[in-house]
Structure formats: structure tokens, C-alpha cells
Amino acid sequence: MTEWKKKFAIIWSGQIFSTLSSMTVGYAVIFWLSIETRSAEVMAIATIASLLPQLLLGPFIGVLIDRWDRRSIMIFSDLFVAVCSALMSVFLLMGNADVSFCYILLMLRSVGSAFHVPAMQASTPLLAPESELMRISGVNQMIQSGSIIAGPPLAAFLISVYTIPNILIIDVVGAVIACISLMFVRIPFPEKKKKGNTPHVFREMKEGFCEIYNRRGLFWLFIIGIAMWFFVFPIFSLFPLLTLNYFKLGAYHVSIIEVAWGVGMLVGGTVLGLKKVKISEVLLINSMCITLGLTLAFSGRLPQGGFWVFMILTLLGGISMTIYSSAFMVVMQTSVEPSALGRVLSLYGSINLAPSIVGLVFTGSIADHIGVPNAFLGSGVVVSILGVISFFIPAIREQFFKSEGTLQN
């Protein structure tokens, strides 16, 4: 704990390269599919392929994360992604790969992420003091948002200069750098309260669910969070349509909105990473949920000449989403036993994806029937209401708030 800054400096030095390379290659594959097929159906299948493994395997993966050495899991998951990208590159160079191979690559990369991300998140409380978890989460968001900003233009440039097999090698290099950095950090194995039980996947999955259910405040935060993602995630896919079809602008303005969201995430992560936040994490979660909903609702009520206001609202939405996600992560890391945290984080990720994918499937038809602006308005209003409701749920107030408004672990 006394050397947590040194440990995270080593980890982050590798994660910067890994996250940026992975984000760039992911966008490059999507751009390449768009150019090669020009098919909306192909893009929809590619999106589902990149999400489905995490949805289906998450609860099982969480059990393994809590059983195995978490550093080894992160190293081998990075190496797995590197091998998959290298093989895909070879197949493409030999001319033996088609679009279906890209779907398989996206699914395999998703499996690697399904192991790596919750393993890293579950390791954080074992490496740093509880008082620093919000700052660490903020820095993680900075790395992620920086990659979101830089990834698309880098991918577009690389696609214009190199072939997709050569671009895939960048993923290999980034993964190898991340693995090397992790080899210099020791992650303690979490102490388990119960010993002597024979390992059993479904029993351990049930124990992970009970970790959430038995903490009623955390359970209700999960419910609110899942409902929020059901309405928010599909709206993300409508941002380009609001710019193109409602504001009657072009691809350049679509890119401005993408950058505005990324910059908002970067600002939010920077604020959290540079300064200790003394506000209750649950207060941040609820208030940022309300703020995000308001940015979406106001975006849906703008006049056709209000593009630049939309850009500002998008930037504010990026800030609120980063603070919401960081605060939610800290609540889970401080409320759940470290020995069960892998299962809880993986379960949360899977449960979040399920309604998100359902919402994504029906987004197009809903937007066609009621209009894209009304879809923004309706989703924003619901999300804001969810944030308000969370303040008045007794279990949340009893578990997380004291009279002075601080977080109670």
C-alpha cells in the first residue's frame, strides 16, 4: 500500500500503449468493414459480436478471476488478444479470411477484455489505499478517454496508409508492452473468509450474486444503474443521426461530437485524478445520473440551428458519465469483499450489457417511429428521474449515507 503510486505508474505505462493500440485497431476494423461491405447489417453483427461474449461469459469469468492469480489473468488475456490479432493478420495476408473471420476476431478480443478489465478493477483495492480509489479510477478514465479521442483519427490515418493485416500487428505490440509492465508488479491474492469448500462454478456464481443482494443499498444501486444503461446505451448510437438527419450537417460535424464526448470524459477523469473528491460517491452517482439525463433531454429539444449547443451538452454528458462510472466503481470496490469482487464486477458488466443490447436492437425502429430528437428527450427524462428516485430509496440512504453525508462502507 505504501508504494501504490510506483505500482500504478508501472501499470499505467503499459496500459496507455495497450488501450490506445486496442482502441485504434478496433476502430480500424470497423472502418475497414464499412469500406469493404458498406452494409449496415454487417456493422450491427460486428457490434453484437464484440459485446456478446462479455454478456454470456461474464458470470463464469468472474468465478475464475476470484480463484486464480489476477496478475496472471491480465497477462494471459493480453497475450491471448495478441495471438488472435497476429493469426488474423496472417490469414488476411494469405487471402484466406473474409468478413466472418472479422466477427470471430471481434468475439475473441471481447473474451480477452472480459477477463482483463474486471481482473484489473478487482485488483485495484489490493494495491492502493481506499482513500485513493477515486483518483485511480479517474486516471483510468483519463487513459480510456484519451484513447477514445485519439483512436478514430489514428485508425482513419492508418487505414489510408497501411493494409488491415499490418494494422493488426499494432494490437500485438500494445498487448506485449502491457504484459511486460505487469511483470514488474506483484498483486496480492485476496484473503478468503471461507476455506475448505470444494470449488463449484454455480455455487460461486450464486455467492457473487449474494454479495450484491445481501447489501440492499448496493443491490438497489445496481437496479438503478442497469435501468439507466438500458436507456443511455442505445442513444449513443443515435448521436450521428441527430447531427446528420436533424441538424442537416455532415461527417465533419459528426466527428466534432465524437471528440466533444471524448474531451468531456478526459476532463472528468482529470478532475478526479488530480484532486481528492470529498463528496459522497453515491451523491456523485445520483447527481451525475440526473445531469446526464438532462443533457440528453435538452439535446432532444434543440432547434435545428442548435448544433453548437448540442456539442456543449455532449461535452457535459461526457464529464457526467465519467464521474458516474468512476464513483460507481469505487462504491463496488469498497462495499464488496476483495475475494468476491471479480464475480461482482463481471456480473455487473454482463447484466448491464443484456438490456443494452436489447435496447440497441430496437433503437432504430423506435427512433424511426417517434423521431431521433424525441428519443433523446424521452431517454433523458427517464434517466434523470432514475437519478432522483435513487435519492429516496431507503436502503441506499441507510447503507451509504450518514448524517454528515459521507460514504459508509
Side-chain angles (χ1 to χ4, degrees), residues 236-253:
F236 290 160
S237 65
L238 297 180
F239 272 66
L241 289 181
L242 190 66
T243 302
L244 296 171
N245 297 347
Y246 181 71
F247 293 118
K248 306 297 183 183
L249 298 171
Y252 170 72
H253 293 86

Side-chain angles (χ1 to χ4, degrees), residues 80-364:
F80 175 75
V81 171
V83 170
C84 292
S85 296
L87 289 175
M88 184 64 187
S89 178
V90 171
F91 285 136
L92 286 169
L93 286 171
M94 295 172 62
N96 296 325
D98 55 19
V99 171
S100 61
F101 277 84
C102 290
Y103 298 153
I104 295 172
L105 172 64
L106 291 171
M107 292 180 71
L108 292 175
R109 281 165 55 89
S110 179
V111 171
S113 296
F115 274 96
H116 187 283
V117 173
M120 182 69 245
Q121 293 169 339
S123 300
T124 302
L126 301 172
L127 295 172
E130 185 177 308
S131 60
E132 303 294 341
L133 293 180
M134 182 67 85
R135 294 178 67 188
I136 292 169
S137 186
V139 175
N140 287 331
Q141 291 288 343
M142 287 170 60
I143 294 173
Q144 184 74 16
S145 56
S147 299
I148 290 174
I149 296 171
L154 275 175
F157 170 75
L158 291 172
I159 281 289
S160 66
V161 177
Y162 301 105
T163 60
I164 192 67
N166 293 326
I167 296 173
L168 287 170
I169 300 301
I170 297 173
D171 210 12
V172 179
V173 175
V176 170
I177 292 174
C179 290
I180 293 173
S181 68
L182 285 168
M183 291 178 182
F184 290 95
V185 178
R186 178 185 172 274
I187 298 176
F189 201 86
E191 182 180 350
K192 295 185 178 181
K193 286 186 175 181
K194 296 180 181 180
K195 297 182 180 179
N197 289 331
T198 303
H200 190 283
V201 171
F202 289 103
R203 190 200 72 238
E204 292 172 71
M205 286 172 57
K206 181 181 177 181
E207 290 173 356
F209 176 78
C210 288
E211 283 287 328
I212 303 170
Y213 185 78
N214 292 336
R215 293 168 171 81
R216 301 301 291 174
L218 183 62
F219 174 75
W220 279 106
L221 277 182
F222 264 58
I223 298 298
I224 295 292
I226 291 166
M228 186 209 73
W229 280 111
F230 177 79
F231 289 97
V232 168
F233 191 87
I235 292 298
F236 290 160
S237 65
L238 297 180
F239 272 66
L241 289 181
L242 190 66
T243 302
L244 296 171
N245 297 347
Y246 181 71
F247 293 118
K248 306 297 183 183
L249 298 171
Y252 170 72
H253 293 86
V254 171
S255 67
I256 290 176
I257 295 301
E258 294 293 329
V259 170
W261 180 266
V263 170
M265 290 184 64
L266 183 61
V267 170
T270 302
V271 170
L272 295 177
L274 295 180
K275 187 176 179 61
K276 281 189 179 182
V277 177
K278 298 181 180 180
I279 304 172
S280 161
E281 282 88 347
V282 177
L283 179 60
L284 285 175
I285 290 171
N286 295 345
S287 58
M288 290 302 104
C289 185
I290 295 170
T291 302
L292 177 62
L294 290 175
T295 64
L296 296 178
F298 284 127
S299 295
R301 296 299 297 165
L302 291 174
Q304 287 191 319
F307 171 79
W308 297 109
V309 178
F310 177 47
M311 184 199 73
I312 295 172
L313 289 171
T314 302
L315 188 145
L316 293 175
I319 294 173
S320 59
M321 176 56 72
T322 295
I323 296 175
Y324 173 92
S325 301
S326 299
F328 206 111
M329 182 57 59
V330 172
V331 167
M332 288 191 288
Q333 290 171 337
T334 55
S335 300
V336 178
E337 291 293 328
S339 59
L341 194 52
R343 280 166 285 176
V344 170
L345 290 171
S346 295
L347 185 62
Y348 175 67
S350 295
I351 294 175
N352 265 345
L353 281 177
S356 299
I357 291 177
V358 173
L360 189 61
V361 169
F362 293 101
T363 297

Side-chain angles (χ1 to χ4, degrees), residues 1-12 127-129 132 135:
M1 288 293 181
T2 57
E3 297 184 347
W4 70 271
K5 290 183 179 180
K6 179 181 177 181
K7 292 177 181 178
F8 275 96
I10 295 171
I11 293 172
W12 285 328
L127 295 172
E132 303 294 341
R135 294 178 67 188

